[in-house]
Amino acid sequence: MIDVLLPGDTIATVPPAYQDFLEAKRPPAPVLGWPCDLDEVPTHLTDGREVKPHQRAIIAWAVRGGRRALFEKFGLGKSIQQLLIADIILNKINRKPIARLAARGVEPARALIVAPLGVRREFRRDARLAGVGLTIIRETAEIAGGGIYLTHYEAVREGKIDVDRFDVVSLDEASVLRSFGSKTYQTFLPLFEGVSYRFVATATPSPNRFKELIHYAGFLGIMDTGHALTRFFQRNSEKANDLTLYPHKEAEFWAWLNDWAVFLQTPSDLGFSDDGYALPELVTRWHAVQVDLRAEAGSDDRGQGLLLRDAALGVTQAAREKRLSLTERVAKAAEIVAASPDDHFVIWHDIEAEREALERVLPGIVTISGATDLDTREERIAAFADGHTRLIGLKPVMFGSGTNIQRHCHRAIYVGVGFKFNDLIQSVHRLQRFGQQRPVEIDFIHAETETEVVRELKAKWARHDELTATMSALIRERGLGSLDAPAIHRTMGVERREASGKGWRVVHNDCVDEVGRMPAASVDLVVTSIPFGNQYEYTPSFHDFGHSDDSAHFFAQMDFLTPSLMRVVKPGRLACVHVKDRIQFGAVTGEGVPTIEPFSDLTVAHFRAHGWQFMSRITVTTDVVRENNQTYRLSYSEMLKDGTKMGAGMPEYVLVFRRPQTDRSRGYADTPVSHVTGVTLRDGRRFDEHDIDFEDALAGDFGPVDKLTSETYSLARWQVDAHAFWRSSGRTLLTADELAQLPTGQLPKAFAAATCSSIYDFGEHIRLGEAVAARDGNDPRGSLPKTFMALAPASICDDVWTDVTRMRTLNGEQSLGGREKHVCPLQIDIVDRLIERYSMPGEEVFDPFAGIGTVPVRALKLGRRGSGSELNGDYWRDAVRYCQAAEAELEIPDLFDLLGVAA
């Protein structure tokens, strides 16, 4: 039976308490703005200049929307717009205070603009032009009365400003929200949840990747980040944080963005005149300075000495080149400045050593460091912006955003290049912006060994230009977006569908509801990989277990599933749960260093709290080198700097839980997983499993049992299964010379086999690795690879699995079929071992989180009955296909069938 929709059972039914839990996941209804016509927006500034038509249209649209993003090109007037948006909303609130959502008694309405350091001057000027009051504050104590306040990001991040005192917030240069794991994003998202009206403004919302746009939606309360990621982006299960926009979701993605964000490159994108908005020409020159290539040439990754330094590409190598080429780069900057004595220059640099060198070779240059107080910073930037200073040295990370210095300057020099493209493009547009009267000339200086860095930087720039062109086409096609809240929501309720065949059944449903429908004691074994808390979402539904605030919220939803699993599992039988502890990055936790959430321990505590017996923890080792390539948590260079930063590789675990048997006086399951194939009684009689009286003899009905034997489960296998992971010390390992004869790709298997067949010695293991890594320079094969761990010790214990083939999953077939790959595929090796170890042929193996069907497929192939439930409709359809294929494979007749001969 394939893809059957059960009559009268279209929408999943769940217990009332569970339905209440799901309903509580719904966010409050989004706050809409206020009615606002164009005639409510000022037409002129206080100096007589008009408020531009595109600015007035956007202001009215944003006030009506209540939570909107202003993604506009440099120089289109975002600061004026933010001020007027806040002023109009405050006036409306004060006229109708009963409509306020933030119940703050009789306090007057307030707005807060959060901006980078160094832009106070621009906002003060624009506030005077807009005719609105503006108060600059650094801490909560400075709040006095209503109106518009301005502060900087550091004050908010450090908790110096009580944002609950405000009704409106606008983040200027909001590109600081781009990074999901940044301290700013993690701080600001919950901090401003209580502020009714929220806005963001930046010219570079997505300098390199579309997915960065969803972080603004999360801050504005349009759609939480997890929902947006699940709906629009496909994850790479083999590489962390690698997400790409689904091709079939692009139209929906852009339509959704257009509802709440305006992407404006020129006024004509909205149908207005471009008079006064001609962007000046940008002239870029790249200068490669020569350096001593022999200095610190070092060795390659095979340990061979280098005559000349390689081209830098990685962050570490680039930092080395910056240090070694400092003198030459600063000298080149001085040469460029001397060649144009009448021009004013802003000289961008990244490190303090560059700033100090610039001060030595450029008399009269004014610089700003992190130790410079805010007032002095503002005075120095103002002096340069007004033309009183000819040379200024600034850091893009500090002053690349918000600072307008184009009136008297059209020249910039970068004394180095780096990987932070957002800082670069923002700093370039301090000069190249609407209102600049001259062509902008930019000189980039880099070491000749940094060609790879330059190539990557130019590639990012090209991608940025492509994205801005896409944004411009979007606004030209669609105009300003809907005035209503965006119409994309999570789903509530599931359309239940079931497919089945000979020996298998998979259901598209919420697992809580599906397990609740299953007969009691109907499952012989549960094998599953539960979601790892809120690490991933698999479908945009409130039913999704991954849509949780934190681990406590996740296990609160598991509280509805775990007792039901115990009800359907036969007494004395097992639930095998695949989990992994979770890395919590320092930028998110504020700890400054990656730490570990013991998710496996939380899972053990959860199951035990529901009455399950905790039987064992099977450890599945992982490749620490590959893990570091994905997370950068186990960096060799960081270990050299400070060994306290580095933890250890993150193994996976299979936690084995047992439903207590009915008869607690005996340890056996009500239906044991028996491997007995022969029984010998004390009187000498023998019975095997084919005898009609076998079960009675095994039960002792014919007399005392003397001996049990098994043709399928040997004594040797038992010793391995029951063994703990203990290794004694010895001195027998393969030598470096023996390993030298093997290709790099064969090292892992050979070394693992050797560690199982000989006595292990830790010190010899280290010495062997060092010998392989530092071999004779004439050896052409190379040394330890940097992409995988070549000399990993193997386990001789069946409770520590070091030989699981990581890439042997159904995702391989997903990739070949061009279908979406599962985010966290469960390895086939793990599933097979658990099924063979803990169940018997013909029994039912169930997975409540079936995904693309690994557990039911493998159960079917191993002679069991496989079943599962899955919430994601696409994954469910893939699971159906795999089960159908496995069933068809088992139905193929062999030669004896074709000849009609009994096997």
Side-chain angles (χ1 to χ4, degrees):
M1 180 170 59
I2 307 301
D3 196 357
V4 173
L5 182 62
L6 300 185
D9 210 15
T10 302
I11 301 299
T13 57
V14 295
Y18 184 55
Q19 185 63 41
D20 292 342
F21 176 86
L22 296 177
E23 291 289 346
K25 284 188 173 186
R26 292 184 188 266
V31 175
L32 300 180
W34 296 80
C36 184
D37 298 325
L38 270 180
D39 58 13
E40 298 181 65
V41 182
T43 59
H44 289 80
L45 302 174
T46 57
D47 64 356
R49 286 181 296 168
E50 71 169 341
V51 180
K52 299 296 184 181
H54 73 272
Q55 296 172 342
R56 297 184 66 226
I58 291 172
I59 290 168
W61 167 80
V63 171
R64 293 194 297 263
R67 296 181 182 180
R68 293 295 182 258
L70 315 181
F71 299 150
E72 304 175 47
K73 193 82 169 182
F74 303 92
L76 284 173
K78 292 186 294 297
S79 56
I80 287 284
Q81 294 172 50
Q82 292 174 81
L83 289 162
L84 289 176
I85 290 168
D87 185 60
I88 292 171
I89 292 178
L90 292 185
N91 288 331
K92 289 178 177 290
I93 291 175
N94 287 329
R95 286 198 297 270
K96 294 185 177 181
I98 196 170
R100 297 173 65 178
L101 295 181
R104 292 193 288 104
V106 295
E107 287 193 44
R110 304 186 187 94
L112 179 67
I113 296 176
V114 187
L117 289 167
V119 301
R120 294 188 301 180
R121 180 171 177 269
E122 283 80 8
F123 265 99
R124 275 200 299 253
R125 181 199 65 214
D126 287 343
R128 287 194 298 269
L129 290 174
V132 301
L134 181 68
T135 304
I136 296 175
I137 59 173
R138 298 179 185 176
E139 57 185 21
T140 300
E142 297 174 313
I143 299 174
I148 303 175
Y149 291 82
L150 175 72
T151 192
H152 53 85
Y153 282 97
E154 287 77 2
V156 177
R157 275 198 300 260
E158 294 166 9
K160 297 178 180 179
I161 304 294
D162 181 3
V163 301
D164 290 335
R165 303 282 297 276
F166 297 90
D167 300 273
V168 184
V169 64
S170 184
L171 304 186
D172 182 61
E173 300 298 348
S175 56
V176 295
L177 293 178
R178 291 180 305 108
S179 175
F180 177 77
S182 70
K183 183 178 180 181
T184 300
Y185 184 85
Q186 296 296 329
T187 301
F188 278 40
L189 201 65
L191 194 63
F192 287 98
E193 281 183 337
V195 180
S196 302
Y197 306 99
R198 304 175 215 160
F199 303 90
V200 295
T202 180
T204 57
S206 177
N208 291 128
R209 296 176 294 180
F210 287 136
K211 80 177 184 67
E212 295 172 346
L213 293 166
I214 68 176
H215 300 147
Y216 301 103
F219 172 79
L220 294 173
I222 302 295
M223 183 187 294
D224 68 81
T225 303
H227 182 188
L229 283 174
T230 302
R231 182 177 290 275
F232 298 116
F233 292 87
Q234 56 185 342
R235 292 178 172 92
N236 182 347
S237 61
E238 298 160 19
K239 185 177 181 181
N241 204 34
D242 182 20
L243 298 96
T244 55
L245 186 63
Y246 286 119
H248 63 283
K249 291 281 189 177
E250 286 190 22
E252 180 187 5
F253 177 70
W254 288 113
W256 169 71
L257 284 174
N258 191 65
D259 276 336
W260 55 269
V262 53
F263 296 95
L264 197 65
Q265 303 304 305
T266 62
S268 61
D269 289 346
L270 282 177
F272 299 108
S273 171
D274 285 338
D275 289 346
Y277 288 97
L279 200 64
E281 178 188 2
L282 179 65
V283 179
T284 59
R285 292 181 285 264
W286 300 81
H287 308 274
V289 298
Q290 292 185 348
V291 294
D292 183 359
L293 297 178
R294 294 171 296 179
E296 298 189 21
S299 58
D300 63 12
D301 58 5
R302 297 173 297 179
Q304 300 183 44
L306 295 174
L307 180 62
L308 302 175
R309 293 203 307 276
D310 283 339
L313 179 59
V315 175
T316 302
Q317 297 95 322
R320 177 197 64 187
E321 296 307 315
K322 278 185 176 294
R323 175 172 52 84
L324 294 176
S325 64
L326 175 61
T327 301
E328 291 82 358
R329 289 185 289 107
V330 171
K332 184 63 178 179
E335 177 188 323
I336 295 171
V337 169
S340 302
D342 296 329
D343 287 337
H344 290 213
F345 286 86
V346 55
I347 304 176
W348 298 102
H349 58 280
D350 293 315
I351 58 178
E352 282 296 284
E354 291 170 343
R355 180 182 66 82
E356 295 166 356
L358 288 170
E359 290 175 339
R360 288 193 297 269
V361 302
L362 292 172
I365 188 174
V366 173
T367 63
I368 300 175
S369 69
T372 308
D373 65 78
L374 293 181
D375 292 332
T376 303
R377 293 183 189 186
E378 188 174 71
E379 291 171 2
R380 292 179 180 178
I381 292 176
F384 181 78
D386 292 337
H388 303 310
T389 302
R390 178 177 175 240
L391 305 176
I392 191 169
L394 301 173
K395 293 181 179 180
V397 69
M398 292 174 61
F399 299 99
S401 299
T403 306
N404 298 330
I405 51 179
Q406 80 275 20
R407 281 194 299 152
H408 296 276
C409 178
H410 70 288
R411 300 287 302 273
I413 300 173
Y414 291 77
V415 295
V417 294
F419 295 98
K420 296 181 179 179
F421 176 73
N422 183 67
D423 292 342
L424 169 69
I425 197 66
Q426 283 276 358
S427 58
V428 165
H429 288 291
R430 296 309 96 208
L431 300 181
Q432 194 207 22
R433 55 196 297 116
F434 298 123
Q436 172 65 259
Q437 301 300 313
R438 291 167 292 180
V440 174
E441 301 178 44
I442 309 287
D443 290 275
F444 295 95
I445 305 172
H446 61 92
E448 59 184 322
T449 50
E450 294 181 293
T451 54
E452 294 300 320
V453 179
V454 171
R455 182 179 293 113
E456 176 64 19
L457 197 61
K458 289 181 177 180
K460 289 182 178 181
W461 205 327
R463 288 196 296 271
H464 170 72
D465 291 341
E466 179 183 346
L467 291 181
T468 54
T470 301
M471 295 173 184
S472 183
L474 172 74
I475 194 70
R476 286 179 179 272
E477 175 188 353
R478 298 179 177 274
L480 288 172
S482 168
L483 301 182
D484 300 321
I488 297 178
H489 305 291
R490 289 182 184 274
T491 59
M492 181 72 78
V494 185
E495 182 182 331
R496 185 185 185 279
R497 290 177 288 179
E498 178 179 320
S500 61
K502 186 177 180 180
W504 63 274
R505 182 179 70 93
V506 288
V507 180
H508 174 221
N509 196 6
D510 182 322
C511 60
V512 173
D513 177 66
E514 191 58 35
V515 174
R517 298 167 182 265
M518 296 168 61
S522 60
V523 171
D524 298 286
L525 173 66
V526 169
V527 176
T528 190
S529 179
I530 64 174
F532 300 161
N534 61 351
Q535 185 161 335
Y536 296 110
E537 290 188 50
Y538 298 87
T539 186
S541 167
F542 290 109
H543 296 253
D544 195 308
F545 279 63
H547 176 49
S548 303
D549 297 335
D550 49 31
S551 291
H553 193 205
F554 166 80
F555 282 110
Q557 188 165 0
M558 285 290 294
D559 286 337
F560 294 98
L561 174 65
T562 306
S564 288
L565 283 177
M566 178 175 285
R567 183 185 65 82
V568 301
V569 170
K570 294 178 179 178
R573 288 305 193 89
L574 304 177
C576 303
V577 181
H578 171 258
V579 296
K580 185 174 183 178
D581 291 337
R582 296 181 56 188
I583 299 172
Q584 297 183 307
F585 292 98
V588 176
T589 62
E591 298 287 345
V593 62
T595 53
I596 306 300
E597 180 190 50
F599 188 75
S600 62
D601 294 338
L602 297 177
T603 304
V604 170
H606 166 81
F607 272 80
R608 292 189 67 202
H610 286 285
W612 290 84
Q613 299 167 331
F614 181 40
M615 303 300 293
S616 66
R617 181 192 299 260
I618 298 171
T619 301
V620 183
T621 62
T622 57
D623 189 321
V624 296
V625 179
R626 285 195 172 104
E627 179 184 331
N628 183 60
N629 290 340
Q630 294 179 356
T631 65
Y632 303 109
R633 187 179 67 93
L634 305 172
S635 167
Y636 174 63
S637 60
E638 289 301 302
M639 176 62 180
L640 295 179
K641 297 174 187 176
D642 182 1
T644 66
K645 281 189 65 177
M646 195 179 81
M650 296 285 288
E652 298 170 3
Y653 303 102
V654 176
L655 307 176
V656 180
F657 302 100
R658 188 174 187 263
R659 176 183 174 178
Q661 71 281 8
T662 302
D663 184 357
R664 299 294 182 95
S665 66
R666 302 170 70 248
Y668 301 114
D670 289 26
T671 305
V673 177
S674 175
H675 299 289
V676 177
T677 58
V679 179
T680 302
L681 304 182
R682 288 183 183 175
D683 61 13
R685 286 181 294 169
R686 300 178 63 183
F687 300 83
D688 66 33
E689 58 182 335
H690 301 296
D691 292 330
I692 192 171
D693 295 325
F694 174 74
E695 295 293 339
D696 294 333
L698 180 62
D701 293 349
F702 298 149
V705 175
D706 181 57
K707 182 180 179 183
L708 301 176
T709 57
S710 175
E711 298 294 330
T712 60
Y713 194 82
S714 66
L715 178 64
R717 171 71 181 272
W718 167 79
Q719 289 186 350
V720 174
D721 280 357
H723 200 277
F725 190 53
W726 292 94
R727 304 296 302 269
S728 59
S729 183
R731 300 192 179 280
T732 309
L733 283 178
L734 291 175
T735 67
D737 288 338
E738 289 171 322
L739 290 173
Q741 311 304 317
L742 299 175
T744 302
Q746 294 182 17
L747 280 177
K749 186 174 182 180
F751 187 79
T755 59
C756 284
S757 60
S758 60
I759 301 176
Y760 177 77
D761 180 84
F762 174 77
E764 187 63 23
H765 184 180
I766 301 302
R767 286 189 290 273
L768 177 62
E770 291 170 346
V772 171
R775 299 155 58 87
D776 185 82
N778 295 323
D779 174 25
R781 185 183 59 81
S783 61
L784 294 183
K786 294 184 177 179
T787 56
F788 61 89
M789 189 175 185
L791 304 182
S795 166
I796 60 172
C797 173
D798 207 35
D799 279 342
V800 179
W801 296 348
T802 59
D803 58 336
V804 169
T805 305
R806 307 302 307 171
M807 301 314 298
R808 188 170 176 245
T809 68
L810 287 186
N811 260 355
E813 296 183 41
Q814 290 286 94
S815 181
L816 290 174
R819 294 185 291 271
E820 178 192 350
K821 296 202 292 184
H822 194 276
V823 176
C824 295
L826 187 56
Q827 280 73 28
I828 289 173
D829 289 353
I830 294 176
V831 175
D832 285 0
R833 295 181 196 186
L834 295 173
I835 291 174
E836 291 180 319
R837 184 167 172 173
Y838 294 128
S839 72
M840 295 182 291
E843 292 191 330
E844 181 84 9
V845 182
F846 175 69
D847 184 354
F849 301 99
I852 56 177
T854 302
V855 170
V857 166
R858 298 311 301 176
L860 190 59
K861 291 193 173 186
L862 293 172
R864 279 74 168 172
R865 301 190 312 276
S867 61
S869 61
E870 173 54 40
L871 183 65
N872 184 298
D874 292 333
Y875 290 166
W876 173 78
R877 281 184 286 271
D878 289 333
V880 171
R881 281 192 287 266
Y882 288 128
C883 286
Q884 290 171 337
E887 179 185 357
E889 181 180 327
L890 293 175
E891 292 291 330
I892 297 175
D894 59 21
L895 179 60
F896 293 104
D897 294 326
L898 294 174
L899 295 177
V901 179

